[in-house]
Structures are given as C-alpha cells and as structure tokens.
Amino acid sequence: MEILLLGTGSADGWPNPFCRCGSCASVTQVRGQTAALVDDVLLLDCGPEAPRAAIRFGRSLASVRHILFTHGHPDHVGPAALLMRHWTGAGESLDVVGPASALDQCRHWVGPDDPVRFVEVTPGDDMRMGDYRVRVLAAAHGADIGADAVLYDLESVGGRIFWATDTGPLPEATHAAVAGAAFDEVFLEETFGNYTEHGTEHHDLPAFTATVQRLRASGAVVDTTDVVAVHLSHHNPPEAELTVALSESGARPGRDGEVVTVGRRRPTRTLVLGGARSGKSAHAEALLAGESAVTYLATGGVREGDPEWAQRVRLHRERRPSSWRTAETIDVADALRSAETPLLLDCLGTWLTARMDLHRVWDGGSLEPVHTDIEELVSAWRACPTVAVAVSNEVGSGVVPPTAAGRLFRDLLGVLNARMAAESDDVVLMVAGRPLRLPAR
C-alpha cells in the first residue's frame, strides 16, 4: 500500500498566508490542507487544494475509484473535483463515501449520467471498497455540522492504516474498535501544538501524546507502527522543535508530497549543509530525536592541546540523548553499510580533512586515493539500510581561500557535497539557524 500525502496542514495550512507569527516565519515547506492518495485509486479526504496538489506531485487522479470523506468542513470537501471529473467524460465508476454532512455538498456536482455512487456511512459500518476493507469509526469533531464526522480504518493485502483527522481525543468506542489492530501507519491530527486553551475538538501536543499512549497500550500502535502527525497549523512550534516534541510519543510530522510505502518503507537519507554556527548539527540531531537508539559517527577526533575544540566536542556530547552511542572514526563506509540503528554522521568536512591527511595530500601526495575514498563513501551512503543523517560544511559561498591548500579543500568538499546530495532523499541548507529544504533536481 502506497500513501502519498497530498497535504499535511490544517484548514489554513502552515504557514497561514495572512500571518506573520514566529511559527509561520520559520516555515521552510508549505503545508496544504490534509489529504492523501492511496495506491492512486483511493482518496482520503478531497478538499479544494487536493486535486492540484496531486498534479504538483506528479500524479493523475484519473484512476481514482473511491473518495472517502471524513466530514463536511470545507478544507476536507471540495465538490468541484467531481465537476472536474465530469468534464473529462470519465466512464469508470466512482464511490463517494462519507457522512451526510459531506455527501450533501457533493450531490449537485455530478452529471445525471455520471457513474458516481454515493455511500452514506456512520460509525460502526464495515464494508468493501474495491481491494480495501473500510471500517468506519467515530470521531470527536464537528458539532457545528451535525456531529457526524468519522475516521477510517483502511486495510488491504498491502497493510492497514488509521486515518484520524479531524478529531479531538478519541471516543471510547473508537479506542475499543482499534484495540489490537497493530496498524502499519497512523495518521493522527495535531492542530494546536502547545496551545491548549483552544476549546475545540482537535488535538494539541499534550492531547496527541495521551492519545498515542492509549493506542500503544491497547495494541493499536506497536513498535513497528509509523505514527505521523497531520493537520498541522501555525499554533505549533517551528518544525525542528515540533519534531522533538512529537518524538516523545514516537511520532513524527508528516510532509506534503511524502510517499509512505507500507511494509516497504525506504530508509531516508538526509544531508544537512550549513556554514559555521548555522545550527546544522542541532538540526540534524533533531531529525533523529524520535529514535530510541542512534549511532553518532563523529569524524572530528581528538585534537591535543586545543581546548576550544575540546569544548565544542563536550557541548555536542552533552546535548545528545544518553541512549545514543558515539563512535569516533573516519572509516565510516563500513559503519554505513552495516548499520542496524539510525546513524548521524558529523561531519563530512572533518572526514575529508582526515582522509587528505591520511594520504599526505598536503605534502604533494596523489589525489587519486581521496577520490577513491569519496566514491566508497557515496556508495556506502547509497546502500545504508537504516535512516541516516549526514552533516557537512557549505564552504563555497565565501571568499576564495588565499592558499592553494584551502582552494583544494573547498573544491573537493564541494564535489563531495554534490555527490552526497544526489544520493539523498532530503537536502537541507541551514542559514542563521533556520532550515531551508532544497528542491530535488
């Protein structure tokens, strides 16, 4: 089962286009209204932004045969999508599923001969939709639209997921219905962050944590479950802080355009670049904050007689969780290939310096073994079987180094960074403590 997250934001998205708060100002990736495309054939919610989001992420909706609405709020129901489909003359059947509050908005948007079947559901319904078993669950949301919002437990031969947006803390009947489910993926709304006085039927961070704890206690969430926070808003702290906060419950924030493959999740490789004191190491550590065990590959080594360097190393060690294991080494290729826990490699600049020292490049030695080392490192990075984050210096934006050695190092590190970026799923540039996610080529 493949799930493409078309949006992971709240009704107003994140950032809110009319807002200048610190949270909105910190955003490096725009989040649209929450929706998902499953196996290219099933939509979980379809607000007004969802069809265009699919196009932006390189997907067509022509194969969609089922749309499952959770409730009738306008960020989840965009009935114009049915008119768009009508204009194509589509002859394939389409199931439009949801509570009355959602379906009532859609009925007038289809042509008299359109092969569209409306299926009104209530909590407790259990049905087949093509290759999927759909269990309809109660939500705590939406008194202003008739209190008929629902959640979905979706299962196929490719896995089982829980689509839980929008809702406050789950009703007891829902907890009972999902007990022992051992979901592969849980997409749970987390709208209000640290703001707990909202008085709405949504989750804030404390409520989110409590809900996940109950799901774990009941066996709905197990050690292998990927818990993804969606319906995120600017009431949340900046993403690096949010990532740390969500990690307390073993969850992570979702991202627009992210593809989740149930049962075959591809390890994620992230390259974090930045200048001196840009916050690159702290950001890299935050990306792995949700992992219970991390191997920290420290390539800087010990520099005798350099107290300033020793102080840097001490501060890095103090902010790492006690469960992390540190390995001081420059032979990182083998560590990457044989990794059994998530890895943090910090950093490529000191690794390259050490390899150049080893091959006596500064004394006129050949560059060929350095290029061989780079090739081996890139190959190991590509083959790493676990989640991995690498940190590197961005040294190409300053003045031209005054020495031949400095220029050589700058050029080689630029080559290494580009090679590593080409094999990474995400590349982040840190500027003044703020992450900028670089687009793929």
Side-chain angles (χ1 to χ4, degrees):
M1 189 186 299
E2 179 196 80
I3 303 102
L4 167 63
L5 292 176
L6 299 175
T8 55
S10 58
D12 53 346
W14 188 20
N16 180 312
F18 295 92
C19 185
R20 294 177 178 172
C21 74
S23 177
C24 287
S26 72
V27 168
T28 59
Q29 179 194 359
V30 175
R31 284 178 163 85
Q33 297 165 348
T34 293
L37 177 62
V38 180
D39 297 330
D40 287 336
V41 301
L42 185 148
L43 278 169
L44 288 166
D45 284 318
C46 182
E49 297 179 354
R52 201 61 58 195
I55 297 299
R56 282 198 302 273
F57 299 132
R59 299 297 179 93
S60 168
L61 299 182
S63 297
V64 169
R65 299 293 175 263
H66 322 283
I67 301 177
L68 275 57
F69 290 114
T70 54
H71 62 295
H73 280 168
D75 54 317
H76 294 264
V77 179
L82 298 174
L83 182 60
M84 297 177 195
R85 188 176 189 271
H86 167 79
W87 284 333
T88 68
E92 297 80 13
S93 63
L94 174 69
D95 297 319
V96 179
V97 182
S101 64
L103 300 193
D104 289 347
Q105 299 178 53
C106 297
R107 298 185 193 276
H108 300 297
W109 290 81
V110 300
D113 298 322
D114 286 349
V116 176
R117 179 174 71 118
F118 290 98
V119 182
E120 186 173 321
V121 296
T122 58
D125 289 345
D126 188 338
M127 67 194 78
R128 295 293 306 187
M129 289 286 164
D131 294 331
Y132 306 92
R133 180 180 181 182
V134 180
R135 300 175 180 90
V136 185
L137 307 172
H141 186 69
D144 59 319
I145 54 168
D148 64 351
V150 298
L151 312 175
Y152 291 106
D153 172 353
L154 186 68
E155 185 176 13
S156 77
V157 293
R160 188 173 180 182
I161 70 173
F162 184 25
W163 184 254
T165 181
D166 297 3
T167 184
L170 302 178
E172 291 300 322
T174 298
H175 276 295
V178 300
F183 289 109
D184 295 287
E185 300 285 333
V186 169
F187 300 95
L188 178 62
E189 77 115 85
E190 193 286 287
T191 306
F192 280 98
N194 294 318
Y195 176 51
T196 59
E197 303 301 320
H198 47 88
T200 67
E201 293 174 309
H202 285 285
H203 280 93
D204 46 51
L205 276 168
F208 181 95
T209 299
T211 292
V212 174
Q213 287 174 345
R214 282 205 62 182
L215 292 172
R216 288 190 188 281
S218 74
V221 169
V222 294
D223 289 344
T224 57
T225 304
D226 183 30
V227 181
V228 183
V230 294
H231 209 266
L232 301 167
S233 81
H234 67 141
H235 292 288
N236 281 283
E239 185 165 343
E241 297 176 32
L242 175 62
T243 300
V244 174
L246 289 172
S247 71
E248 295 177 3
S249 55
R252 62 182 182 84
R255 291 189 170 193
D256 289 25
E258 175 183 353
V259 176
V260 178
T261 306
V262 175
R264 295 184 292 108
R265 291 185 65 209
R266 184 181 179 216
T268 300
R269 293 177 294 276
T270 302
L271 176 63
V272 181
L273 303 167
R277 301 296 187 182
S278 62
K280 57 186 182 293
S281 292
H283 181 75
E285 291 164 10
L287 292 176
L288 294 173
E291 305 291 345
S292 58
V294 173
T295 299
Y296 192 106
L297 299 179
T299 61
V302 177
R303 302 180 184 181
E304 298 295 337
D306 190 339
E308 190 272 338
W309 180 259
Q311 174 71 355
R312 284 176 180 250
V313 171
R314 183 182 66 81
L315 292 175
H316 273 245
R317 286 176 175 167
E318 287 179 352
R319 72 177 182 226
R320 295 174 211 155
S322 59
S323 61
W324 288 22
R325 181 180 71 88
T326 299
E328 301 273 358
T329 182
I330 62 169
D331 296 319
V332 299
D334 287 343
L336 286 168
R337 290 194 184 96
S338 61
E340 296 181 353
T341 61
L343 288 177
L344 175 53
L345 169 57
D346 193 355
C347 75
L348 297 180
T350 50
W351 173 85
L352 180 61
T353 298
R355 304 309 296 186
M356 294 174 77
D357 286 343
L358 178 68
H359 299 302
R360 306 184 66 84
V361 171
W362 317 117
D363 299 326
S366 171
L367 286 176
E368 184 174 345
V370 178
H371 285 292
T372 300
D373 289 345
I374 290 175
E375 191 67 39
E376 182 181 12
L377 176 63
V378 172
S379 175
W381 178 249
R382 183 190 307 119
C384 182
T386 68
V387 173
V389 179
V391 178
S392 190
N393 308 98
E394 179 51 63
V395 297
S397 300
V399 298
V400 176
T403 65
R407 292 190 292 273
L408 176 61
F409 173 77
R410 177 201 60 179
D411 293 348
L412 282 175
L413 186 56
V415 169
L416 175 58
N417 287 347
R419 293 288 308 281
M420 292 286 283
E423 299 296 341
S424 297
D425 303 299
D426 260 339
V427 181
V428 176
L429 175 65
M430 296 297 298
V431 179
R434 294 188 175 181
L436 302 174
R437 191 180 182 203
L438 303 184
R441 291 187 298 177

